[in-house]
Amino acid sequence: MRLPTATIRRLLNLPQVADIWVGGGRSLNSDNDEVFCAAWLDPKEQLVRTMEIRQFPPTPEQLMRLLVQAIESPHHPQAQPCRPHAIIVDDRELQFFLRGVVAPLDIQVEYQARVPLLDDFFELMAAEVTSDDPDLEGLPREYVPLYKRKIRELAQLDIWRRLNHVTPFKLHCSSWDCPTLFAVLVNPQGASRDFGLMLHRGEEALRNFWQQIDQEDPYLDEEDDDRLEETVLRNDCLFLNVSEVDEADLDNDLSFVLRGHAYTIEVGVVHPLEGIRHFYAPEEAEMVYVAIASLIKFWKKTKKQFEQEAYPELNLRFQIPSPCHCALSYQVQVATAPEMMPGIDEDTEESQSLCQIPIDTEAIPEEAYILFKRFPPKELGELQAAVAYHQRGEIPEEFKGYPVLTIQTKKSAAAAIAAKIAEEGGIHHLTVFPLSGPEQIVMLLAQTNANHLWLLDTFDAESGSLLLDWIKEVNDLDGACGLAVAYGVTGKTRRQPTLKQIVGLFETSLVFSFVDTQRPPTPQPIEISKP
């Protein structure tokens, strides 16, 4: 993975100093919840150039994003934008990752097993620390009136009301740093008048975006800010949002009036290694302006064809003059991309194809309970030793609770289910499949290593809260989870089976919206120790 060309060019324009910076991340061991701090320090100037506190361990990508901020927009008011001669980290994996990414910036990456300055700094960070984002202009000054006029023209075409949010347009211009962009409309939701445009940098970026939307976003809690942020930061795109504001906010340079309503423009860039940046560099502002102008011309010429056909196959070329350089123009090819639609509309296609795969709807008795359990390390060890059927899987070395989906039924049925799973080579993975339709039904499935699909349960919008909470716990362990089979469906232990009543534990993983019946059966060894 590499930084965008425009970002590399922008950072190379900053002066390089002989200083050596140090950076890394640590757990702060908060009294309430475990929190983590990541930072880049300048020992010579005795400055904290960037710092971030969050609820998850910092990843190499996050530390790279912070390094870009440390170079370009340091948080400390006395720090000037510049590139260091070298950086020192105390993590080998981070060193290898950063070496490849910062090579174009002429920055050396060194490793030390222990960096005393970092240790001392993180010891001081026991309390919550905040830092404000730098106050940056979203657009270069000369582009502000141009954008307001061009976006008002685009908005008056009302494309957002005519096309859905999975209708991409392919824009190609050999003069751009990223020659091919895929433009996707962000539609108004409900009574909202807000709208937007996302310009994904390449086909892979667009496919990755829609894959995460289809497979992950339905299971994310809107209040889980850290995980939502990590999902957003996997994108690689330029974005432009147009949001309705109060008339009192019209003094903002990027505000304008459209059809009697006040709006403001927000621009930005998202990249896995750079993070979210709320401004355009001049070449990015030029590129996005040309892209918008191309879309306007394309829609005016093809509007009637879209009225006759939902998504016609079209390919047109336009010459767009530069808004700021009178001697410069761009040849832009704008096309629909029907070949991308099957990949983008994957949720519907997978739901339809899933209906064609045989699913055993009677594997789990009707009188069974589906329980969402969580076992601390000690209890998990006791459970592993107690069950008659055990499938070993990959369990993180450190965890607070191991999520186990537990089927509780009658004693004879529990024994039969555990034996059947063992006969089919154990559980390959669990999966959650949202089905299209207003009912928002979600199927919870298990695929055995004999490539059979077992329907464990179905959930609707009202009954799915427990499933969503359990999925969040599984996500915290990178998908690791277990499937257990227990008895005791009546009596005092109903919904609370004891360790003695759990007859089988199958350690596996959760993979969203995924079924693979084309691979050969891959039975796993099951430890059987019947009493």
Side-chain angles (χ1 to χ4, degrees):
M1 186 175 292
R2 62 189 300 272
L3 287 166
T5 305
T7 300
I8 294 173
R9 185 185 301 119
R10 195 175 66 250
L11 297 180
L12 285 174
N13 285 331
L14 298 174
Q16 188 169 31
V17 295
D19 298 355
I20 299 175
W21 300 348
V22 298
R26 295 282 195 285
S27 168
L28 296 184
N29 296 319
S30 170
D31 292 337
N32 299 322
D33 294 304
E34 188 173 23
V35 294
F36 298 84
C37 179
W40 287 98
L41 314 177
D42 184 343
K44 181 180 177 181
E45 300 295 333
Q46 298 183 343
L47 299 176
V48 179
R49 293 190 68 91
T50 53
M51 181 182 67
E52 193 170 76
I53 293 179
R54 57 194 301 121
Q55 302 256 322
F56 296 94
T59 63
E61 290 83 1
Q62 179 196 353
L63 285 163
M64 181 61 216
R65 294 193 289 266
L66 280 177
L67 179 59
V68 171
Q69 293 177 25
I71 294 171
E72 186 172 44
S73 51
H75 293 175
H76 197 285
Q78 297 179 8
Q80 298 300 315
C82 62
R83 285 178 294 131
H85 168 69
I87 54 179
I88 297 175
V89 298
D90 58 358
D91 182 280
R92 280 287 190 192
E93 180 183 354
L94 179 60
Q95 181 198 21
F96 294 144
F97 177 85
L98 291 177
R99 268 183 178 173
V101 179
V102 304
L105 302 177
D106 193 24
I107 298 175
Q108 297 179 23
V109 184
E110 300 174 3
Y111 166 79
Q112 287 184 11
R114 183 172 177 271
V115 182
L117 179 61
L118 278 178
D119 296 337
D120 293 342
F121 172 76
F122 288 121
E123 284 180 7
L124 295 174
M125 294 305 301
E128 182 178 353
V129 179
T130 60
S131 61
D132 297 328
D133 291 327
D135 185 16
L136 295 168
E137 294 289 338
L139 283 170
R141 178 60 52 185
E142 64 271 23
Y143 286 91
V144 171
L146 299 170
Y147 264 66
K148 290 166 68 172
R149 183 167 60 250
K150 191 58 66 175
I151 289 174
R152 186 187 289 112
E153 182 182 356
L154 178 66
Q156 288 173 338
L157 298 179
D158 226 9
I159 305 176
W160 284 266
R161 300 292 180 184
R162 298 172 183 268
L163 300 179
N164 63 41
H165 67 286
V166 293
T167 308
F169 295 100
K170 182 178 181 180
L171 293 83
H172 181 84
C173 177
S174 57
S175 301
W176 294 338
D177 287 337
C178 178
T180 301
L181 300 174
F182 282 88
V184 175
L185 306 170
V186 180
N187 301 68
Q189 299 294 322
S192 171
R193 297 185 180 90
D194 299 354
F195 57 91
L197 181 69
M198 300 178 72
L199 295 168
H200 300 273
R201 292 184 276 208
E203 180 176 329
E204 183 180 357
L206 177 60
R207 290 194 183 279
N208 289 343
F209 172 74
W210 285 115
Q211 183 178 11
Q212 77 181 36
I213 289 296
D214 285 344
Q215 296 187 359
E216 296 186 25
D217 280 12
Y219 315 107
L220 289 174
D221 187 340
E222 291 183 359
E223 297 181 359
D224 192 347
D225 295 334
D226 287 293
R227 191 164 292 279
L228 281 170
E229 180 186 356
E230 283 301 314
T231 301
V232 171
L233 288 175
R234 281 183 236 139
N235 295 324
D236 182 6
C237 71
L238 300 99
F239 65 85
L240 186 149
N241 294 327
V242 182
S243 306
E244 188 174 13
V245 295
D246 295 332
E247 291 187 7
D249 296 322
L250 280 175
D251 56 350
N252 185 321
D253 287 345
L254 288 173
S255 298
F256 63 95
V257 175
L258 174 67
R259 295 171 182 164
H261 298 278
Y263 292 89
T264 191
I265 303 168
E266 178 191 9
V267 302
V269 179
V270 184
H271 187 273
L273 300 183
E274 190 181 358
I276 301 177
R277 167 163 52 87
H278 292 281
F279 67 91
Y280 287 163
E283 61 267 38
E284 292 168 335
E286 178 96 350
M287 180 175 65
V288 174
Y289 178 91
V290 171
I292 293 172
S294 302
L295 288 172
I296 291 172
K297 285 197 170 188
F298 179 82
W299 184 255
K300 286 181 177 180
K301 276 191 170 292
T302 62
K303 176 182 174 182
K304 291 184 178 179
Q305 289 168 271
F306 277 93
E307 291 175 352
Q308 298 170 0
E309 188 178 346
Y311 195 63
E313 191 168 347
L314 302 168
N315 192 329
L316 300 175
R317 290 180 181 274
F318 303 99
Q319 183 166 330
I320 308 296
S322 167
C324 296
H325 310 284
C326 58
L328 183 62
S329 64
Y330 300 88
Q331 292 288 337
V332 184
Q333 182 178 357
V334 185
T336 53
E339 74 280 1
M340 294 288 291
M341 296 298 285
I344 290 176
D345 208 6
E346 191 173 326
D347 180 53
T348 302
E349 287 197 0
E350 285 185 343
S351 297
Q352 293 173 348
S353 62
L354 186 64
C355 297
Q356 301 171 4
I357 300 174
I359 298 176
D360 189 346
T361 59
E362 299 180 357
I364 308 302
E366 290 185 5
E367 63 270 22
Y369 292 116
I370 299 296
L371 311 173
F372 300 101
K373 297 295 184 181
R374 189 168 178 264
F375 289 85
K378 182 180 178 181
E379 289 187 22
L380 179 62
E382 295 173 350
L383 174 61
Q384 292 170 327
V387 293
Y389 297 88
H390 184 206
Q391 172 187 337
R392 292 193 179 273
E394 295 185 4
I395 298 178
E397 293 183 2
E398 296 183 6
F399 63 93
K400 293 181 179 179
Y402 181 66
V404 177
L405 180 72
T406 305
I407 305 167
Q408 187 182 32
T409 183
K410 295 179 179 178
K411 189 172 185 177
S412 58
I417 291 172
K420 182 62 175 175
I421 294 176
E423 181 184 331
E424 297 195 7
I427 300 296
H428 184 265
H429 70 275
L430 305 180
T431 188
V432 182
F433 251 103
L435 297 179
S436 58
E439 298 86 1
Q440 296 182 324
I441 300 297
V442 173
M443 293 196 302
L444 178 59
L445 302 170
Q447 180 171 347
T448 71
N449 280 309
N451 286 353
H452 293 159
L453 286 177
W454 291 24
L455 176 63
L456 303 180
D457 207 347
T458 58
F459 301 86
D460 57 22
E462 293 183 3
S463 63
S465 59
L466 289 176
L467 174 63
L468 291 175
D469 291 341
W470 188 76
I471 287 174
K472 286 176 60 178
E473 295 176 354
V474 175
N475 286 338
D476 289 340
L477 295 186
D478 295 326
C481 62
L483 174 68
V485 185
Y487 60 89
V489 74
T490 59
K492 295 182 179 179
T493 60
R494 181 166 62 101
R495 295 185 178 274
Q496 293 292 334
T498 64
L499 290 182
K500 183 179 179 181
Q501 291 175 316
I502 301 177
V503 297
L505 172 64
F506 304 89
E507 295 162 10
T508 182
S509 62
L510 177 70
V511 185
F512 296 117
S513 303
F514 177 72
V515 168
D516 183 8
T517 58
Q518 301 302 314
R519 63 181 179 82
T522 54
Q524 301 297 312
I526 307 296
E527 299 173 11
I528 302 177
S529 55
K530 295 182 179 180

